[in-house]
Amino acid sequence: MNRTSIRKALAPSVAVLALSITLTACGAGNETTDSGSDDSSSAETGTLTGELNGAGASSQEKAMEAWSVGFQGLNPDVTLNYNPLGSGDGRTQFIEGGTLFAGTDSAFDDEEGELTAANERCGTDIIQVPSYVSPIAVMFNLEGVDSLQLDAATIAGIFDGKITSWDDPAIADLNPDADLPATDISPVHRQDDSGTTENFTDYLSQASDGAWPHEPDGLWPVKGGLAAEGTSGVVAAVTNGNGTIGYADASQVGELSVVDVKVGEEYVAPTAEAAAKVVAVSPPVEGATETDMAVEVDRTTTEAGAYPVILLSYLVACQTYETQEDADLVKAFMEYVVSDEGQAAAAENAGSAPLDAETATRAQDIVSAIAAG
Amino acid sequence: MSTTLKPAPVSVASIPLTHGHLPRGAEILVGVVAAAAAGLFPLLLGWGLVAWVIVSVILFIVGLTVWSAIVETRRSATDRMVTALVWTAFGIALVPLVSLLWTVVSKGVPAINSTFLSYSAFRTSLDQPIGIYHAIVGTLVITLCAVVISVPIGIFAAIYLVEYGKGNRLARGITFLVDVMTGIPSIVAGLFAFSMFTAFFGAGYRAGIGGAVALSLLMIPIVVRSTEEMLRLVPDDLREAAYALGTPKWRTITKVVLRTSLGGIITGVTLATARIIGETAPLLLIAGLTTRTNVNPFEGFMTTLPVFIYSQFQKGTAADFELAWGTALVLVIIVLLLNIVARVIGKIFAPKTGR
Amino acid sequence: MATLAGVFIFLTIEGVPGFFQEEQFYKGAGNFWGYVDHLLFGTVLAATIALIVAVPLAFGIALVVSHYAPKWIAGPVAYVIDLLAAVPSVVFGLWGINLFAPKMVPIYDWLNAHLGWLPFFEGPVNPVGTTILTAGLVLAIMILPIITAISREVFTQTPVLHEEAALALGATRWEMIRLAVFPYAKSGMVSAVMLGLGRALGETMAVAMVLSGGGGISFNLIASSNPTSIAANIASQYKENTPGTLHVLIATGLVLFLVTFLVNFAARWIVAGNDRKMAR
């Protein structure tokens, strides 16, 4: 008698159980073929096995997809898991030892003691290498206009709400050929705390000669205005409106028109090559150690063909790991990421800029020293 | 009550046994007239289709009520008005619901094929196809664990509240916690589970069971609250009848109270399951995101369908979006199946009543 | 239950330092109250809009399913509505921002033109429709299934004898529902609304994606800048959290708990006032 009541209570769970049993009876179609290759382990594939777990910035996720697939292609018995929780959690979990590597949009620093904590976790100075360089496009949606040239001060004026109409003289002067309507400008910004916003506001505050009165911050500093969640939210908001302008990772702007930004005397479009040039000329951050490649991005560069509105994202790892297995996995993975092959895969899949030769060589040297200790 | 049942005043000369009735098909007639009358506005003022529909509905409700008030009694007029209003509410609500479901179905169907359902996202080269098999397995395992944890706790807590602890301090404490927890943001539940599991099992511990615990926190309040209401609705006559026959309390509860309210309890549990099966944030935190299939909830990363959807949207290309919509459709279908199974089981055990 | 208590204790421990953080963590607001007040306002406003819209509709649907519609309509419709409870909030968010919000823009223009003298519709109109009114409506759609399903169950639980007795006395269908069904179902209806409210208050992703947040306290429902909600703010800021901001975010979560509790307490108090005089 009592049995029926228990069964009743568990009715839905029984349903789930039944379903899961039928499903788990057979493995995933593609994975079974992989385990078959175990028996005839060919010479070309690597011998590494195990799980490599990392977490961090979601901006790197598309590139990480390329890297994990490429890395698993080299070592089919490895599973690489990257948890796109955001840079903040990526750093926290790395410090706490929950992950073997981290991806972060803002380099580890000691503003809240995170760098010291990370060094403590590793026992030595951490490794911090640039892995993902991507131009941030300023994109707009304005009927009848599909190309626009702006300088930093004008962009700052638009996003600060000082320039409110598309036919404002400040814009018209820079675009003598464009037929600008009197539509109101609706600037769209990210409402979430993000590396994209931090890099964009950093550019505005450095390059606009004081037209941007706010400090660089991951959280949009101007009160009010149109806000949207995430890159896809900003893209959707700009697409759905008229007279809207916003900023987002260049690989995700889709069909929208993008602004050519004034650098020196030229106007430069957001391309991967232009973005990579900026990283090459940027100086390292103050007090960076031998293994820390964090740079202070030079937003005011006048280098020909450079595009200074970029997002620079890092991969963080330790120099030494407790077990040989961990050290081998991290080393192999990091080597792959900064290799030409890895950077090319990310460029193809995520539209990012491959590291320039000099940076890549230095990064190679640093990561190849990872060892068990 | 007596006032509302007072007969309508009639003249003494001819005492009819029934009052006037609107002719058959009156609703249709009024509807056509209202639609036609409202149709004038778009023609004259250039309004859109939406405005036309809205005006027709308003005209229909007003017209039917007034006509009924003239021919029939005031009470029938109220009845007709409420009927029309209720159906209107129904219609209004269906528009966004259908639009949403249609979006999911129409965008999701192109993505679904046998590879999509039977492959995991693990691949060794970018041109290989990927599927969501690993996420289906992960969703089922984690949801099963969450249901196993929360349903007994939830139902027993509700039984305690209704049958045993009427108004005592423990019952008040439980009520307080349940009330407060109904509005818990899911990510906070995830943070709690994350802190708890990493504190006990080490900083690198990620497993499906942690996700299940986080989901239980979201699920228990819904189960308790809905079960509590359903148990309250069981008439005391039934309990008293059982006691009068000398049935012990626990048997009264299992054989009479639970059985009577079974349909409602199952609805509550199904709803709660549906609510948590679509959660993203807590799972991303503690269960992680992986590309391989994992059936062991106690060890290793485990992906669920909503987490997979979220990660696809983050990647942001058109192909990723298509996979995400397909996954959303699969999730809805899974819930549909669970719903049907739960209802069938509920029917088998439910007492035979007039309904 | 111990876990629920555990969560509560955990949050209190983690959250209380959030009330007294250094100024930099409040993102320019100065102190905790300055940081949380507009979030609190946004939460309550969005949830209120959602409830005002969803509750009558949900009871309407529940009545149609339980008492008005013939069985062949009622069954499938009940299924469809239950299904909606399972649509992940990310999908609600995407649907909201890509399909629903743009569709609302002409309506907002109309409201602004004709009812602009009301503070609610003052404008200027948000050009993409991502307003707090849109967010409230999306929330309304999200909580509709919960309220509908539970009230439907309690409506069907009304003893058939009560209903037949009312009809036999000559009551019209509406009078039967008003006099027999509603009193019996009252407590359950309130619980259904409370569960719906809980979801509306705690919803993160859908609100974050649909709403153009970051504004201050304003009753203007159709503007570009809106107060965001506590839960959405946690989701937005969580990604780049540092230990300092995390405490602040959890503290805002505690404030949300307080709101949930107060509302539930008020509801229970109202129900207890005239509970089960007729039901039992």
Side-chain angles (χ1 to χ4, degrees):
Chain A
M1 311 238 173
N2 207 13
R3 244 183 310 150
T4 55
S5 74
I6 292 166
R7 256 191 277 165
K8 267 183 300 186
L10 293 177
S13 49
V14 172
V16 186
L17 184 67
L19 267 170
S20 59
I21 286 174
T22 42
L23 268 167
T24 47
C26 51
N30 50 341
E31 284 178 51
T32 45
T33 54
D34 286 334
S35 59
S37 72
D38 277 349
D39 312 320
S40 57
S41 52
S42 56
E44 292 120 79
T45 55
T47 50
L48 294 173
T49 55
E51 259 192 359
L52 175 56
N53 297 334
S58 49
S59 57
Q60 293 194 32
E61 190 172 12
K62 189 73 187 168
M64 195 58 79
E65 180 183 59
W67 291 327
S68 64
V69 169
F71 186 58
Q72 284 163 178
L74 296 173
N75 305 285
D77 293 328
V78 174
T79 310
L80 187 124
N81 298 317
Y82 182 74
N83 223 348
L85 287 165
S87 305
D89 260 8
R91 292 194 298 267
T92 313
Q93 295 194 0
F94 180 74
I95 291 170
E96 284 166 356
T99 50
L100 292 180
F101 71 95
T104 175
D105 288 342
S106 42
F108 268 96
D109 58 35
D110 255 340
E111 223 166 272
E112 286 186 42
E114 286 185 312
L115 181 59
T116 316
N119 288 340
E120 259 167 40
R121 182 247 147 138
C122 287
T124 54
D125 289 341
I126 55 164
I127 290 176
Q128 194 153 236
V129 293
S131 54
Y132 177 78
V133 181
S134 177
I136 297 171
V138 180
M139 73 283 193
F140 63 96
N141 186 6
L142 181 62
E143 232 167 273
V145 180
D146 49 15
S147 75
L148 212 56
Q149 302 180 331
L150 296 174
D151 60 15
T154 315
I155 297 176
I158 291 172
F159 277 95
D160 200 22
K162 300 273 183 339
I163 299 173
T164 55
S165 174
W166 280 106
D167 57 359
D168 191 282
I171 303 176
D173 287 350
L174 296 172
N175 298 278
D177 304 332
D179 183 20
L180 295 166
T183 318
D184 284 345
I185 302 182
S186 310
V188 184
H189 62 85
R190 287 278 288 267
Q191 73 178 346
D192 46 332
D193 200 342
S194 67
T196 311
T197 304
E198 185 158 4
N199 280 284
F200 185 63
T201 49
D202 186 35
Y203 164 72
L204 291 180
S205 75
Q206 284 193 37
S208 69
D209 287 331
W212 182 253
H214 312 280
E215 289 286 304
D217 193 353
L219 194 61
W220 189 248
V222 188
K223 277 272 166 220
L226 267 180
E229 177 81 10
T231 301
S232 53
V234 173
V235 173
V238 173
T239 312
N240 294 337
N242 183 26
T244 43
I245 183 166
Y247 57 93
D249 199 307
S251 59
Q252 294 198 20
V253 298
E255 307 279 293
L256 290 165
S257 320
V258 296
V259 170
D260 291 345
V261 173
K262 189 175 186 183
V263 182
E265 290 307 312
E266 294 176 83
Y267 291 92
V268 184
T271 58
E273 299 77 48
K277 275 194 180 157
V278 178
V279 181
V281 300
S282 297
V285 295
E286 253 174 71
T289 57
E290 271 302 295
T291 54
D292 185 354
M293 288 184 68
V295 294
E296 205 74 74
V297 178
D298 185 4
R299 310 284 183 188
T300 53
T301 180
T302 51
E303 182 98 356
Y307 184 84
V309 198
I310 58 161
L311 171 76
L312 178 55
S313 201
Y314 300 90
L315 277 184
V316 178
C318 291
Q319 290 188 40
T320 54
Y321 287 89
E322 273 170 25
T323 66
Q324 189 67 40
E325 194 197 356
D326 287 352
D328 287 346
L329 278 172
V330 177
K331 181 181 168 191
F333 174 65
M334 299 285 276
E335 277 179 342
Y336 172 73
V337 167
V338 295
S339 70
D340 292 347
E341 200 185 334
Q343 287 292 313
E348 195 190 330
N349 203 41
S352 63
L355 296 173
D356 67 286
E358 201 185 325
T359 317
T361 317
R362 191 174 156 214
Q364 285 283 8
D365 290 345
I366 293 174
V367 298
S368 58
I370 294 174
Chain B
M1 217 178 234
S2 60
T3 50
T4 49
L5 296 179
K6 197 161 37 177
V10 287
S11 75
V12 190
S14 63
I15 303 173
L17 290 176
T18 57
H19 58 70
H21 270 287
L22 293 185
R24 265 164 172 268
E27 287 96 344
I28 299 170
L29 187 64
V30 176
V32 172
V33 173
L40 290 176
F41 286 98
L43 287 180
L44 297 178
L45 301 170
W47 288 5
L49 188 69
V50 182
W52 175 59
V53 172
I54 293 172
V55 174
S56 331
V57 169
I58 295 173
L59 282 181
F60 172 75
I61 294 175
V62 174
L64 190 65
T65 311
V66 170
W67 191 15
S68 164
I70 295 167
V71 178
E72 303 176 338
T73 59
R74 194 177 52 79
R75 286 169 49 216
S76 317
T78 317
D79 184 44
R80 281 187 189 273
M81 187 179 77
V82 171
T83 309
L85 278 177
V86 164
W87 278 100
T88 313
F90 183 70
I92 293 175
L94 279 190
V95 174
L97 299 185
V98 169
S99 153
L100 187 73
L101 277 186
W102 173 245
T103 311
V104 174
V105 171
S106 63
K107 292 201 177 184
V109 165
I112 294 185
N113 53 46
S114 62
T115 320
F116 185 65
L117 292 177
S118 66
Y119 274 33
S120 72
F122 182 84
R123 52 184 172 169
T124 48
S125 148
L126 275 174
D127 38 283
Q128 289 168 353
I130 62 169
I132 54 166
Y133 179 80
H134 64 303
I136 297 178
V137 171
T139 297
L140 292 176
V141 170
I142 289 182
T143 310
L144 173 69
C145 292
V147 168
V148 167
I149 296 171
S150 26
V151 168
I153 294 181
I155 291 183
F156 286 135
I159 292 175
Y160 178 80
L161 284 179
V162 174
E163 305 291 336
Y164 292 96
K166 280 191 182 130
N168 71 21
R169 191 172 290 170
L170 179 60
R172 279 208 304 273
I174 294 177
T175 313
F176 167 78
L177 284 173
V178 167
D179 281 356
V180 171
M181 290 298 160
T182 53
I184 185 175
S186 51
I187 194 161
V188 172
L191 270 177
F192 170 75
F194 179 76
S195 315
M196 192 173 93
F197 277 89
T198 47
F200 285 126
F201 299 105
Y205 188 79
R206 303 282 180 285
I209 190 74
V213 168
L215 293 183
S216 311
L217 293 176
L218 300 169
M219 193 175 172
I220 290 173
I222 306 183
V223 176
V224 174
R225 196 93 202 238
S226 55
T227 310
E228 196 189 334
E229 284 312 325
M230 298 308 155
L231 294 181
R232 288 237 159 94
L233 285 179
V234 176
D236 272 351
D237 314 2
L238 285 181
R239 292 191 182 89
E240 279 152 16
Y243 294 149
L245 292 170
T247 323
K249 190 161 188 173
W250 67 271
R251 278 191 71 178
T252 309
I253 292 170
T254 51
K255 297 294 288 179
V256 177
V257 178
L258 280 181
R259 282 212 157 194
T260 318
S261 51
L262 187 66
I265 294 176
I266 286 184
T267 303
V269 170
T270 327
L271 258 183
T273 314
R275 162 84 174 79
I276 57 142
I277 209 171
E279 267 309 331
T280 313
L283 291 173
L284 194 57
L285 207 56
I286 176 73
L289 177 65
T290 181
T291 51
R292 292 245 201 196
T293 313
N294 176 10
V295 291
N296 180 1
F298 298 101
E299 204 193 339
F301 281 49
M302 201 174 226
T303 309
T304 66
L305 294 166
V307 172
F308 185 76
I309 295 175
Y310 176 76
S311 115
Q312 288 304 111
F313 281 131
Q314 291 265 334
K315 289 177 193 164
T317 63
D320 297 325
F321 269 62
E322 187 180 299
L323 286 180
W325 284 110
T327 316
L329 180 59
V330 171
L331 183 60
V332 170
I333 293 173
I334 289 180
V335 174
L336 176 73
L337 294 177
L338 290 183
N339 242 325
I340 293 173
V341 173
R343 268 166 206 248
V344 168
I345 294 174
K347 263 223 173 92
I348 295 172
F349 289 107
K352 308 284 173 283
T353 63
R355 284 177 202 270
Chain C
M1 281 309 121
T3 25
L4 287 187
V7 178
F8 196 71
I9 294 163
F10 162 77
L11 288 173
T12 316
I13 293 172
E14 288 286 307
V16 167
F19 292 112
F20 314 106
Q21 288 288 322
E22 291 163 48
E23 210 170 300
Q24 50 161 324
F25 297 121
Y26 296 121
K27 307 283 180 191
N31 58 35
F32 182 74
W33 179 241
Y35 181 79
V36 84
D37 60 349
H38 62 278
L39 297 178
L40 190 58
F41 178 80
T43 310
V44 174
L45 186 58
T48 314
I49 296 172
L51 280 191
I52 289 175
V53 175
V55 168
L57 290 182
F59 288 159
I61 302 176
L63 277 182
V64 167
V65 171
S66 68
H67 285 88
Y68 281 90
K71 247 193 169 144
W72 62 269
I73 298 185
V77 167
Y79 268 145
V80 169
I81 290 171
D82 283 0
L83 274 190
L84 280 157
V87 176
S89 37
V90 182
V91 173
F92 269 103
L94 277 169
W95 175 81
I97 190 166
N98 286 319
L99 275 109
F100 187 63
K103 289 245 160 57
M104 295 303 287
V105 175
I107 297 177
Y108 292 154
D109 282 334
W110 188 87
L111 284 173
N112 183 33
H114 294 83
L115 296 170
W117 45 273
L118 281 173
F120 302 126
F121 306 121
E122 223 166 12
V125 176
N126 181 323
V128 264
T130 53
T131 67
I132 192 136
L133 187 52
T134 310
L137 291 175
V138 170
L139 278 181
I141 300 166
M142 296 182 78
I143 64 177
L144 206 55
I146 297 180
I147 305 182
T148 307
I150 295 175
S151 45
R152 184 190 70 217
E153 282 305 324
V154 292
F155 288 157
T156 12
Q157 287 283 326
T158 316
V160 188
L161 280 177
H162 290 199
E163 293 172 9
E164 283 168 356
L167 291 175
L169 287 170
T172 59
R173 192 149 52 169
W174 165 240
E175 284 160 354
M176 178 270 282
I177 288 169
R178 195 161 58 86
L179 298 169
V181 178
F182 279 174
Y184 192 81
K186 187 170 178 185
S187 157
M189 285 156 75
V190 171
S191 272
V193 173
M194 285 302 120
L195 279 177
L197 178 70
R199 172 125 205 226
L201 290 174
E203 180 51 46
T204 51
M205 281 319 286
V207 178
M209 288 170 81
V210 169
L211 184 65
S212 155
I217 294 179
S218 148
F219 277 104
N220 193 342
L221 299 182
I222 56 172
S224 296
S225 119
N226 304 280
T228 189
S229 80
I230 290 178
N233 183 61
I234 295 180
S236 287
Q237 312 308 325
Y238 179 78
K239 278 185 262 179
E240 302 295 317
N241 74 74
T242 57
T245 47
L246 189 60
H247 282 306
V248 175
L249 291 180
I250 294 183
T252 61
L254 273 181
V255 174
L256 184 59
F257 273 12
L258 196 68
V259 175
T260 323
F261 171 69
L262 286 179
V263 175
N264 271 294
F265 184 76
R268 280 192 189 269
W269 189 69
I270 293 168
V271 176
N274 45 7
D275 195 17
R276 283 183 290 286
K277 275 177 204 151
M278 312 187 69
R280 289 228 172 147

